[in-house]
Amino acid sequence: MSWSRRSFLTSLSSTALVLSLDDVLALAAPIAQGMPQMGSRPTYDAKPQPAPTRLPSPVTGTPLGVSFVDVARQSGLNAKTIYGGEHKNRYLIETTGCGVAFYDYDHDDWLDIFLVNGTRLEGFPKGQEPVSRLFKNNRDGTFTDVSIKAGVARTGWGQGCCVGDYNNDGWDDLFVSYYGQNVLYRNNGDGTFTDVTEKAGLRQSKTRWNSGCAFLDYDRDGHLDLFVANYIDFDIKTAPLPEAAGCQYKGIQVACGPPGLQGGKNILYHNNGDGTFTDVSQKSGMWETVGTYGLSVAVSDFDDDGWPDIYVANDSTAATLYQNQKDGTFKDVAIESGVAYSPDGKPQAGMGVSVGDYNRDGRFDLVKTNFAGDTDSLYANLGDGSFDDRTYLAGLGVNTRLLGWGVGFFDMDNDGWLDILVCNGHVYPEVDGTSIDAPYAQHKYLYRNLRNGQFEEVTEQGGPGITEAAPARGCAFGDYDNDGDVDVVVNCVNSLPQLLRCDSTTGRNWIKIRTVGIKSNRAGIGAKISVTTAIPNTGKPFVQIDEVRSGGSYYSQNDLRIHFGLDHAVKADSVEIRWPSGVQDKLTDLAANHLYVIQEGGKILKTVAMGVAASSIPATSKASGLPRAGGAQGV
């Protein structure tokens, strides 16, 4: 019988389904015992790979046309994120860091910023505790801290955040995951939030290490459900100490990693449509997976059947791909789909994840960041329910030294092809002052899409915001200054955040779409958008796709407005939207360099011209509320 790698992995998947999680962990124990250090994440000696054969590209060697500059301090982002000890960590809880959201909480179409914050083991004097921060965009390049006034200044071991309008009142709500108790903030529509965690049925009966999160309408009933990944079942009273357990990384005593610890169970909450949720994790199949130690979450319709699937980047074990079975249940198909392991079949220490159609074949691909000593992962969607690992072929396999966290597919130069940014930072502060590994603060990786299935690393050309070292964790993508290019906000560990303003000289055009659901959830999360333009001098169609997504990157939330680079096209010939309800809309001849707010049914609620003079747009361009049950609401 002839065996392919995929058929072999499929057979493993079938076998694994009859094993309990305890069985799988028991089988893995001898392998873990053979690792160089107990408690450290697995590192791999990357096998020598030939350099990818560069296909002809019109891009290689041309000027980048963009530069990223960190303007956080001059913009007023002056709150330091506190997370664990600065020079030494005793427990794993001190290492993960926090996420961040580009979040237009007041619907004025200027992105605000929400930064999750953490704490320290020794705690803080009353009144001096670090808290999560909400910064309001002043529309002039600066931000104002409104955390206390808005009611979101909570302290604790904050983890991730995600945005969605769970009650369909027209105002996007905010969910923040914690080690401990999560919090759901209902957006009151007046600049303030109310903690409705208990009222909504989201209070947890035990302490959990909740991690990445995402709102999604998994049953397509028009109400946003909520998925929350879980890392490990952690109790500081019983957690192993480095000196007692002998936890080391390359000879340095460090906090013990997850191998050998009990993995947490991912949670799925069903929205009851009355402002409350019900935990359906077990009956939906969330716990019937091989992988555990969940960190980041990405939701997308990977098989293009109109139903959202869920991908989870797991630390030190197989990744998870929950395929939506369209009956309220999910099945983990990561192994047979080819997105569970490295190319040589090894589990990886996954951190962040992003979704996008990087090769413009009409299918959603995946990029995942991994631990130091390993490559990041690029999976191309083949359209038949499977993916192909293109990490080396695409040119991402050249980097193994740094440790990736936040990541995103984004079109930095508006040429219509998705590029990749990876935010890096070591997990162990103890490496500083030694020569055994890369430092704790690390530069980013920037990859330019060569439009031929391959990428070119352009880190050195990306500007000081890319090359300057930072202890990065979560990052989010969005156009905070409304000048038509995509900026990046980064949450760092025990440091101020970064706001990487993209300064572009390309002169290329773009279009933004914000969705408003009617039959579908109000935020339009899960809507698939395709934009068609004509390739210059050929007349051939140039088609791009994307989805409205909650969550992603590492513990973070990108702008819910979907951005498409149009190169030098002056209009989008057509914009097609497939809504979660099944409704399909098509609009034609939309002028470039505008934001369009599109309601389900094809109605354009608002058009806003943007660009280099965006800061001069008067406040009167803000839309008034739309009638809906309960009165006028935010658009």
Side-chain angles (χ1 to χ4, degrees):
M1 178 179 181
S2 176
W3 285 82
S4 66
R5 174 178 174 270
R6 188 166 309 286
S7 62
F8 174 67
L9 291 176
T10 301
S11 72
L12 286 181
S13 174
S14 301
T15 303
L17 291 176
V18 302
L19 300 176
S20 69
L21 181 58
D22 290 337
D23 291 332
V24 174
L25 293 176
L27 289 171
I31 301 174
Q33 291 169 4
M35 292 179 183
Q37 304 91 16
M38 180 275 180
S40 66
R41 293 166 178 80
T43 58
Y44 313 106
D45 295 325
K47 296 181 178 180
Q49 297 282 336
T53 301
R54 289 295 181 199
L55 302 174
S57 168
V59 183
T60 307
T62 62
L64 194 59
V66 299
S67 179
F68 291 88
V69 181
D70 182 7
V71 295
R73 287 147 189 79
Q74 65 207 62
S75 297
L77 301 184
N78 51 15
K80 182 177 178 178
T81 295
I82 303 298
Y83 207 93
E86 294 204 31
H87 306 292
K88 182 177 179 59
N89 293 160
R90 292 172 61 78
Y91 296 100
L92 186 61
I93 185 65
E94 301 180 79
T95 65
T96 56
C98 308
V100 59
F102 263 140
Y103 171 33
D104 181 15
Y105 76 96
D106 52 2
H107 274 203
D108 64 353
D109 284 306
W110 289 82
L111 290 180
D112 312 297
I113 295 174
F114 178 77
L115 288 152
V116 184
N117 213 330
T119 186
R120 292 200 175 116
L121 293 172
E122 60 270 27
F124 291 83
K126 187 173 179 59
Q128 299 179 30
E129 304 92 342
V131 297
S132 295
R133 300 281 179 176
L134 178 64
F135 289 90
K136 176 177 171 53
N137 193 325
N138 298 323
R139 312 185 195 180
D140 60 1
T142 67
F143 293 81
T144 298
D145 188 340
V146 295
S147 313
I148 295 175
K149 177 182 177 181
V152 296
R154 176 177 167 176
T155 190
W157 289 105
Q159 301 292 301
C161 57
C162 53
V163 170
D165 185 359
Y166 83 95
N167 56 359
N168 285 334
D169 68 351
W171 298 96
D172 293 326
D173 309 297
L174 175 66
F175 180 84
V176 187
S177 62
Y178 279 83
Y179 168 69
Q181 289 291 339
N182 300 319
V183 60
L184 174 62
Y185 292 111
R186 185 188 66 212
N187 189 333
N188 297 321
D190 59 1
T192 68
F193 294 80
T194 299
D195 180 347
V196 295
T197 310
E198 189 161 357
K199 181 179 179 181
L202 297 178
R203 182 71 60 182
Q204 296 176 330
S205 60
K206 70 172 188 176
T207 297
R208 293 183 181 273
W209 191 334
N210 305 280
S211 50
C213 62
F215 285 100
L216 73 161
D217 185 4
Y218 75 87
D219 55 358
R220 293 173 42 177
D221 65 353
H223 301 284
L224 286 177
D225 312 298
L226 177 63
F227 177 86
V228 186
N230 268 245
Y231 192 29
I232 61 173
D233 288 341
F234 179 83
D235 185 343
I236 200 167
K237 297 177 182 177
T238 60
L241 284 168
E243 57 269 28
C247 299
Q248 294 187 346
Y249 176 78
K250 297 186 177 182
I252 298 179
Q253 190 176 87
V254 297
C256 298
L261 301 177
Q262 181 65 45
K265 292 185 180 299
N266 299 330
I267 307 297
L268 181 65
Y269 295 103
H270 177 258
N271 191 326
N272 300 320
D274 59 1
T276 68
F277 293 83
T278 299
D279 186 338
V280 295
S281 310
Q282 189 165 9
K283 73 176 185 179
S284 65
M286 289 293 124
W287 297 351
E288 304 300 320
T289 67
V290 174
T292 184
Y293 308 139
L295 286 174
S296 297
V297 177
V299 176
S300 187
D301 182 9
F302 290 110
D303 50 9
D304 199 29
D305 63 356
W307 296 77
D309 310 300
I310 306 169
Y311 184 79
V312 184
N314 294 324
D315 188 357
S316 304
T317 186
T320 302
L321 176 56
Y322 293 106
Q323 183 187 62
N324 195 322
Q325 302 299 295
K326 311 176 191 177
D327 59 1
T329 68
F330 290 81
K331 177 184 177 183
D332 180 12
V333 297
I335 294 177
E336 56 262 50
S337 295
V339 293
Y341 299 116
S342 68
D344 51 356
K346 292 181 179 179
Q348 297 174 291
M351 302 294 176
V353 61
S354 182
V355 179
D357 180 17
Y358 81 91
N359 53 5
R360 268 195 45 248
D361 63 357
R363 299 185 285 264
F364 290 120
D365 311 303
L366 281 163
V367 61
K368 176 169 68 78
T369 56
N370 296 309
F371 202 76
D374 194 3
T375 69
D376 295 320
S377 300
L378 179 67
Y379 299 108
N381 190 333
L382 301 181
D384 59 358
S386 67
F387 292 75
D388 189 44
D389 192 314
R390 301 279 175 86
T391 305
Y392 289 100
L393 181 63
L396 269 63
V398 297
N399 290 313
T400 62
R401 187 166 182 255
L402 305 186
L403 198 163
W405 298 90
V407 61
F409 283 119
F410 76 125
D411 187 358
M412 66 176 169
D413 51 7
N414 282 334
D415 67 350
W417 294 83
L418 295 179
D419 311 293
I420 297 174
L421 176 70
V422 176
C423 293
N424 299 304
H426 214 291
V427 73
Y428 303 125
E430 292 85 352
V431 299
D432 273 347
T434 74
S435 59
I436 66 164
D437 208 352
Y440 190 62
Q442 299 176 353
H443 66 75
K444 296 163 181 60
Y445 289 141
L446 184 63
Y447 298 98
R448 173 166 58 176
N449 194 323
L450 296 180
R451 312 180 194 174
N452 59 5
Q454 298 173 338
F455 292 85
E456 172 188 19
E457 188 193 341
V458 291
T459 300
E460 293 300 322
Q461 298 104 280
I466 303 298
T467 57
E468 290 174 357
R473 292 298 187 266
C475 71
F477 297 79
D479 183 5
Y480 83 91
D481 51 2
N482 282 344
D483 66 350
D485 46 42
V486 180
D487 313 298
V488 187
V489 61
V490 185
N491 206 348
C492 299
V493 176
N494 292 315
S495 181
L496 292 173
Q498 293 180 298
L499 180 58
L500 308 184
R501 187 187 67 206
C502 179
D503 294 334
S504 175
T505 59
T506 66
R508 296 189 178 115
N509 299 320
W510 51 270
I511 194 171
K512 293 187 198 296
I513 307 295
R514 178 157 70 84
T515 53
V516 178
I518 298 296
K519 294 177 64 177
S520 303
N521 68 87
R522 186 65 181 266
I525 288 172
K528 180 180 178 180
I529 305 172
S530 66
V531 171
T532 303
T533 54
I535 300 176
N537 303 319
T538 69
K540 294 181 180 179
F542 184 98
V543 182
Q544 302 175 63
I545 63 168
D546 206 344
E547 277 179 326
V548 184
R549 298 186 186 92
S550 175
S553 183
Y554 177 77
Y555 282 9
S556 296
Q557 174 68 58
N558 298 323
D559 185 1
L560 287 175
R561 305 176 304 177
I562 305 303
H563 179 103
F564 294 92
L566 300 183
D567 202 353
H568 293 291
V570 297
K571 67 175 182 177
D573 295 324
S574 71
V575 173
E576 298 181 51
I577 305 177
R578 186 180 74 186
W579 299 84
S581 65
V583 170
Q584 297 191 47
D585 294 325
K586 182 176 181 179
L587 300 94
T588 58
D589 298 327
L590 299 186
N593 304 331
H594 287 71
L595 163 71
Y596 295 91
V597 181
I598 302 176
Q599 187 180 69
E600 186 172 10
K603 181 180 180 181
I604 297 177
L605 301 180
K606 181 170 64 168
T607 303
V608 182
M610 295 180 176
V612 293
S615 59
S616 65
I617 295 175
T620 52
S621 67
K622 179 179 177 181
S624 59
L626 285 180
R628 192 180 174 92
Q633 310 296 337
V635 176

